Amino acid sequence: MNITVWNEHVHEQEGGEAARIYPDGLHATIASALSDLGSMRTATLGEPSHGLPPEVLSVTDVLLWWGHAAHDQVSDEVVTRVVERVWQGMGLVVLHSGHYSKPFKRLMGTSCDLQWRHDEVETVWTVAPGHPIAAGVPASFVIPEQEMYGEFFDVPPPDELVFISSFGGGEVFRSGCCWTRGRGRIFYFSPGHEEHPVYHQPEIQRVLLNGTRWAAPSATL
Amino acid sequence: MNITVWNEHVHEQEGGEAARIYPDGLHATIASALSDLGSMRTATLGEPSHGLPPEVLSVTDVLLWWGHAAHDQVSDEVVTRVVERVWQGMGLVVLHSGHYSKPFKRLMGTSCDLQWRHDEVETVWTVAPGHPIAAGVPASFVIPEQEMYGEFFDVPPPDELVFISSFGGGEVFRSGCCWTRGRGRIFYFSPGHEEHPVYHQPEIQRVLLNGTRWAAPSATL
Amino acid sequence: MNITVWNEHVHEQEGGEAARIYPDGLHATIASALSDLGSMRTATLGEPSHGLPPEVLSVTDVLLWWGHAAHDQVSDEVVTRVVERVWQGMGLVVLHSGHYSKPFKRLMGTSCDLQWRHDEVETVWTVAPGHPIAAGVPASFVIPEQEMYGEFFDVPPPDELVFISSFGGGEVFRSGCCWTRGRGRIFYFSPGHEEHPVYHQPEIQRVLLNGTRWAAPSATL
Amino acid sequence: MNITVWNEHVHEQEGGEAARIYPDGLHATIASALSDLGSMRTATLGEPSHGLPPEVLSVTDVLLWWGHAAHDQVSDEVVTRVVERVWQGMGLVVLHSGHYSKPFKRLMGTSCDLQWRHDEVETVWTVAPGHPIAAGVPASFVIPEQEMYGEFFDVPPPDELVFISSFGGGEVFRSGCCWTRGRGRIFYFSPGHEEHPVYHQPEIQRVLLNGTRWAAPSATL
């Protein structure tokens, strides 16, 4: 399986918590967590074609996407290329603030709005324990510090809902959602703020691994 | 529209909080809240055929079901009659501990297990704001005291998920769920413990009213 | 309820079968079939803002859309306005070759491709007999002449599948599909080629009427 | 992976076409087609506990079920055991007339009725080309002779619809359907009449293989 981890890689270069927690970028931590699955590649906003020229996308089985501060800087040409590769069968795993990325919004057909607030404890609950993305994931687990993402999350009703989160303020969020577009599978997973070491947490890495495998085209399994 | 509210009517006759809050039975409070919708009837466990002989069920458009302590005392003959009427098109609104009732378990095909605990604040969040059952229901509202029902709720993935609740302990629950069985529509709504005045709360009454209307056969609308 | 029927109104002005069958335009026939539902308005491509300026869309509860030859001539500004009104709660009923219209493709997030061929008998089968859109519609009915639309129909898996059609060549098509986007409901119904009197057929008119009522915001019902 | 193929094994012992086409029983042909997936076992109605004692079911990852003439002879004790194993995570692949089997009806919560007629050509269409069960299956393929199964098929709306069939008389049928019950996954596939060599056809064997793999608990993959 060929996996490409895309990260805008903006916050980590600005210093602060993000730089401290992810010194080589979020993408490096995520790619490392998935390395057992196959051949890993990373790509960032600053590279030519954002690191996603046709020759990279055409051999990518699953693309993971993390973006936040620079959604608008992603060229429409690359967005169209990503969307059309999903239609052809490429899996797409969209992370955290990627809910507002151009490819995700194009594929969902909705505003992808949500409620948010800083600094909260998040508890992730498995509501589809037989789903492949929940394999080996506990019935619930805690993320000690995380940005709060709350409902109403304006996405189409997911084809499969795997996780629901609650937050210290009593909010809830559909935090693990699956959709199909064309021949491609899309998994959105909301935990993963850049100022917290979320992607270092074993349960999170397990979900990413399961989600990437689930999103892969059948022929690669 | 012909509506029948079924209640086992056990707790309220045993005194205590249930008797104080619902002196005429939960069914009376619920029926009163729905009276604008059409012709109301109530039925209880203690009546012959539990108040649900064929001639009552055959003219019932929507049946609401509240049971808790006496699920096992409901005769299989009546259960089969209810299930078959749902298949023919009768709507069924299942409330709170009715998740463990015989008709609901038969229609779901699962164990209908869940986690539970006494005495918690519950916050209900609307996750399908355009759904008819959410009409006029706020984005979120609080039930000051309620029994906690938590995931994993072992039901088939709902065809439509309208509400998700959180609880003081951080638990979450898919509290408003829709399914279809045959020509009949089923709405499960979890708030409604007998020791708290939940069915006196306006937001709850609104959900019951919307849910009953949604579950009704199209010909009656 | 305020209903707007949009039609590109190209074929009917070019003479031929379309002009003969729909002398006042497809929109006139459709609007006439729905007139019991509320206040009707029609709009066409050739009008300023294609007949869909903000003041029209903002009071439209359900918009029906028929387009075929001139999808590209619909301005992106109007498309964005339609899409955002759907997100706010406006219902959208997309007809026949409207599967390839800009608003539908934007809301689906897929290519909306399908297979097609001229001149076939179509049989429409109800696969959700309890659904409001199937109310009063027979278990199956025949459209004597119709363009064949066949699978794979590249749309997201519908939230609710109401009708499946077969064609003389053995093809099948998911011909009646429901989705939600934001607070808005979308119903796609495939029968309706401009060279056949499909919209004069009583069963078709019944589906359009049911679909329009289903797509309407709850507050208008 | 441990796979058990259950067959009532009645028709093949009565002579006629079934005995000619499946001399060792349908289960032998099916088991042979799946042998690459793991350890195969077969079980039939006539064995003690119908070949499904607790010690067999407890180690079965996926159970395939073919029954037709003798549904009523399956003991309720075995049915309960099968249903509870599905809830725990065992996959279940239900074939053809197994739509009327006790375990399937218990898990669906509906009548599982359908329309039927002898001797028709069936064309199977893939409507979810990115689904793992469709991997390597053509966009459409023909079964030269098959019993007609037609809508309305009274099952809950499938969580995922993979195949739709048409028949020579113009009928349609949702022929490949997925559901989840508890932790277990259920795949129903309708082709497979005992009087036609359907299970010898390569496309059918491919679907059975994919469906069995899809239904397997994640831990076995």
Side-chain angles (χ1 to χ4, degrees):
Chain A
M1 197 191 306
N2 289 301
I3 299 166
T4 301
V5 182
W6 191 89
N7 177 18
E8 63 175 32
H9 201 213
V10 170
H11 295 293
E12 306 95 317
Q13 302 194 67
E14 291 173 340
E17 280 301 284
R20 194 182 62 77
I21 300 169
Y22 302 107
D24 301 319
L26 280 154
H27 51 291
T29 303
I30 292 169
S32 169
L34 302 178
S35 59
D36 286 351
L37 284 179
S39 170
M40 303 299 308
R41 188 191 305 256
T42 63
T44 57
L45 182 69
E47 300 172 46
S49 295
H50 313 319
L52 299 173
E55 59 271 22
V56 166
L57 278 177
S58 66
V59 298
T60 296
D61 295 311
V62 182
L63 175 67
L64 293 97
W65 192 279
W66 198 101
H68 181 217
H71 292 316
D72 287 348
Q73 297 174 37
V74 178
S75 85
D76 289 338
E77 188 190 341
V78 168
V79 171
T80 297
R81 208 180 286 152
V82 167
V83 165
E84 293 183 349
R85 266 296 287 151
V86 171
W87 294 351
Q88 290 170 10
M90 182 182 73
L92 179 66
V93 177
V94 177
L95 299 172
H96 191 58
S97 41
H99 75 93
Y100 247 14
S101 66
K102 286 181 178 179
F104 188 63
K105 289 201 286 189
R106 287 264 294 273
L107 288 160
M108 293 294 105
T110 58
S111 73
C112 300
D113 279 345
L114 47 73
Q115 307 296 314
W116 64 273
R117 188 160 44 75
H118 274 292
D119 298 333
E120 267 298 358
V121 58
E122 173 171 358
T123 308
V124 181
W125 296 84
T126 299
V127 298
H131 196 281
I133 299 183
V137 178
S140 72
F141 65 94
V142 171
I143 307 171
E145 280 188 292
Q146 173 56 5
E147 194 177 28
M148 186 285 289
Y149 273 17
E151 297 285 345
F152 171 62
F153 182 24
D154 185 16
V155 286
D159 296 341
E160 298 171 298
L161 177 61
V162 185
F163 303 112
I164 298 174
S165 291
S166 71
F167 294 86
E171 298 90 351
V172 300
F173 193 70
R174 289 169 291 170
S175 50
C177 298
C178 300
W179 297 269
T180 297
R181 292 292 179 271
R183 283 159 177 78
R185 295 173 139 200
I186 301 166
F187 176 55
Y188 174 77
F189 189 54
S190 61
H193 196 53
E194 72 278 2
E195 298 181 357
H196 303 301
V198 178
Y199 293 120
H200 292 289
Q201 191 168 333
E203 295 96 333
I204 298 291
Q205 295 192 352
R206 179 76 198 214
V207 172
L208 295 188
L209 196 139
N210 290 346
T212 301
R213 193 185 278 134
W214 174 84
S218 300
T220 66
L221 296 177
Chain B
M1 198 190 307
N2 289 300
I3 299 166
T4 302
V5 182
W6 191 88
N7 177 17
E8 62 176 32
H9 201 214
V10 171
H11 295 294
E12 304 95 317
Q13 302 195 66
E14 291 172 340
E17 280 300 285
R20 194 184 60 77
I21 300 169
Y22 302 108
D24 300 320
L26 280 153
H27 51 291
T29 303
I30 292 168
S32 171
L34 303 178
S35 59
D36 285 352
L37 285 178
S39 169
M40 303 300 307
R41 188 191 305 256
T42 62
T44 57
L45 182 69
E47 299 172 46
S49 295
H50 313 319
L52 300 173
E55 59 272 23
V56 166
L57 278 176
S58 65
V59 298
T60 296
D61 295 310
V62 182
L63 175 68
L64 293 96
W65 192 280
W66 198 101
H68 182 216
H71 292 316
D72 286 349
Q73 297 173 38
V74 178
S75 85
D76 289 338
E77 188 191 340
V78 168
V79 171
T80 296
R81 208 181 287 153
V82 167
V83 165
E84 293 184 348
R85 266 295 288 151
V86 170
W87 295 350
Q88 290 170 9
M90 182 183 73
L92 180 67
V93 177
V94 177
L95 299 171
H96 191 59
S97 41
H99 74 94
Y100 247 14
S101 66
K102 286 181 178 178
F104 188 64
K105 291 202 285 188
R106 286 265 295 274
L107 288 161
M108 293 293 104
T110 59
S111 73
C112 301
D113 278 346
L114 46 74
Q115 307 297 315
W116 64 274
R117 190 161 43 73
H118 274 292
D119 298 332
E120 268 295 1
V121 59
E122 173 172 358
T123 308
V124 181
W125 297 83
T126 299
V127 299
H131 196 280
I133 299 183
V137 178
S140 72
F141 65 93
V142 170
I143 305 171
E145 280 189 294
Q146 171 59 3
E147 194 177 27
M148 187 284 289
Y149 273 18
E151 296 285 345
F152 172 59
F153 181 24
D154 184 16
V155 285
D159 296 341
E160 298 171 296
L161 178 61
V162 185
F163 304 111
I164 297 174
S165 291
S166 71
F167 294 86
E171 297 90 350
V172 299
F173 194 70
R174 289 169 290 170
S175 49
C177 299
C178 301
W179 296 269
T180 297
R181 291 293 179 272
R183 286 160 174 76
R185 296 175 137 199
I186 302 166
F187 176 56
Y188 173 76
F189 188 56
S190 60
H193 196 53
E194 73 279 2
E195 298 181 357
H196 304 300
V198 177
Y199 294 120
H200 292 289
Q201 191 168 332
E203 296 96 334
I204 299 292
Q205 295 192 351
R206 179 76 197 214
V207 172
L208 295 189
L209 195 139
N210 290 346
T212 302
R213 194 186 277 135
W214 173 85
S218 300
T220 64
L221 296 176
Chain C
M1 197 191 308
N2 289 300
I3 299 166
T4 301
V5 181
W6 191 89
N7 177 18
E8 62 175 33
H9 200 213
V10 171
H11 296 294
E12 305 94 318
Q13 303 194 66
E14 292 172 339
E17 280 301 284
R20 193 183 62 77
I21 300 169
Y22 302 107
D24 301 317
L26 279 154
H27 51 290
T29 303
I30 293 169
S32 170
L34 303 178
S35 58
D36 285 351
L37 285 178
S39 169
M40 304 299 307
R41 188 192 305 257
T42 62
T44 57
L45 182 69
E47 300 172 45
S49 296
H50 313 319
L52 299 174
E55 60 272 21
V56 166
L57 278 177
S58 66
V59 298
T60 297
D61 295 310
V62 181
L63 175 67
L64 293 96
W65 191 280
W66 198 100
H68 181 217
H71 292 315
D72 286 348
Q73 297 173 38
V74 178
S75 86
D76 288 338
E77 188 190 339
V78 168
V79 171
T80 297
R81 207 180 288 153
V82 167
V83 165
E84 294 184 348
R85 267 295 288 151
V86 170
W87 293 352
Q88 290 169 11
M90 183 182 73
L92 180 67
V93 176
V94 177
L95 299 172
H96 191 57
S97 42
H99 76 92
Y100 246 13
S101 66
K102 287 181 179 179
F104 188 64
K105 290 203 286 188
R106 287 264 295 274
L107 288 161
M108 293 294 104
T110 59
S111 73
C112 300
D113 279 347
L114 47 73
Q115 307 296 315
W116 63 274
R117 189 161 43 74
H118 274 292
D119 298 333
E120 268 295 0
V121 59
E122 174 172 358
T123 309
V124 181
W125 296 83
T126 299
V127 298
H131 196 282
I133 299 183
V137 178
S140 73
F141 65 93
V142 171
I143 306 171
E145 279 189 294
Q146 171 57 3
E147 193 176 29
M148 187 285 289
Y149 273 16
E151 297 284 347
F152 172 60
F153 182 23
D154 185 15
V155 286
D159 297 341
E160 298 171 297
L161 178 60
V162 186
F163 303 112
I164 297 175
S165 291
S166 70
F167 294 86
E171 298 90 349
V172 299
F173 194 70
R174 290 169 291 170
S175 50
C177 298
C178 301
W179 297 269
T180 297
R181 292 291 180 270
R183 283 159 177 77
R185 296 174 139 198
I186 302 165
F187 176 56
Y188 174 76
F189 189 56
S190 61
H193 196 53
E194 73 278 2
E195 298 181 357
H196 304 300
V198 178
Y199 294 119
H200 292 290
Q201 190 167 334
E203 297 97 332
I204 299 291
Q205 295 192 352
R206 178 76 199 213
V207 172
L208 294 188
L209 195 139
N210 289 346
T212 301
R213 193 186 277 136
W214 174 85
S218 300
T220 65
L221 297 176
Chain D
M1 196 190 306
N2 289 300
I3 299 166
T4 302
V5 181
W6 191 89
N7 177 18
E8 62 176 34
H9 200 213
V10 170
H11 296 294
E12 305 95 317
Q13 302 194 67
E14 291 172 341
E17 280 301 284
R20 196 184 59 78
I21 300 169
Y22 302 107
D24 301 319
L26 280 154
H27 51 292
T29 303
I30 292 169
S32 170
L34 302 178
S35 59
D36 285 351
L37 285 178
S39 170
M40 303 300 306
R41 188 192 304 258
T42 62
T44 57
L45 181 69
E47 300 172 45
S49 295
H50 313 319
L52 300 173
E55 59 272 21
V56 166
L57 278 178
S58 65
V59 299
T60 295
D61 295 310
V62 182
L63 175 67
L64 294 96
W65 191 280
W66 198 100
H68 181 216
H71 293 316
D72 287 348
Q73 297 173 39
V74 178
S75 85
D76 289 337
E77 188 190 340
V78 168
V79 171
T80 297
R81 208 181 287 153
V82 167
V83 165
E84 294 184 349
R85 266 295 288 150
V86 170
W87 294 351
Q88 290 169 11
M90 182 181 75
L92 180 67
V93 177
V94 177
L95 299 171
H96 191 57
S97 41
H99 76 93
Y100 247 14
S101 66
K102 286 182 179 178
F104 188 63
K105 290 202 285 187
R106 285 264 295 272
L107 289 160
M108 293 294 104
T110 59
S111 74
C112 300
D113 279 346
L114 46 73
Q115 306 297 315
W116 63 274
R117 189 161 42 75
H118 274 292
D119 297 332
E120 268 295 0
V121 58
E122 173 172 0
T123 308
V124 181
W125 297 84
T126 299
V127 298
H131 196 281
I133 299 182
V137 178
S140 73
F141 65 93
V142 171
I143 306 171
E145 280 188 295
Q146 172 58 4
E147 193 177 29
M148 186 284 288
Y149 273 17
E151 298 283 347
F152 172 59
F153 181 23
D154 184 15
V155 286
D159 297 340
E160 299 171 297
L161 178 61
V162 185
F163 303 112
I164 297 175
S165 291
S166 70
F167 294 86
E171 297 90 350
V172 300
F173 194 69
R174 289 169 291 170
S175 51
C177 299
C178 302
W179 297 269
T180 297
R181 291 291 179 272
R183 284 158 176 78
R185 297 173 137 199
I186 302 165
F187 176 56
Y188 174 75
F189 188 57
S190 60
H193 197 53
E194 73 278 1
E195 297 181 358
H196 304 300
V198 178
Y199 293 120
H200 292 289
Q201 191 168 334
E203 298 96 332
I204 298 292
Q205 294 192 353
R206 179 75 198 213
V207 172
L208 294 188
L209 195 139
N210 290 346
T212 301
R213 194 186 276 132
W214 173 84
S218 301
T220 65
L221 296 177

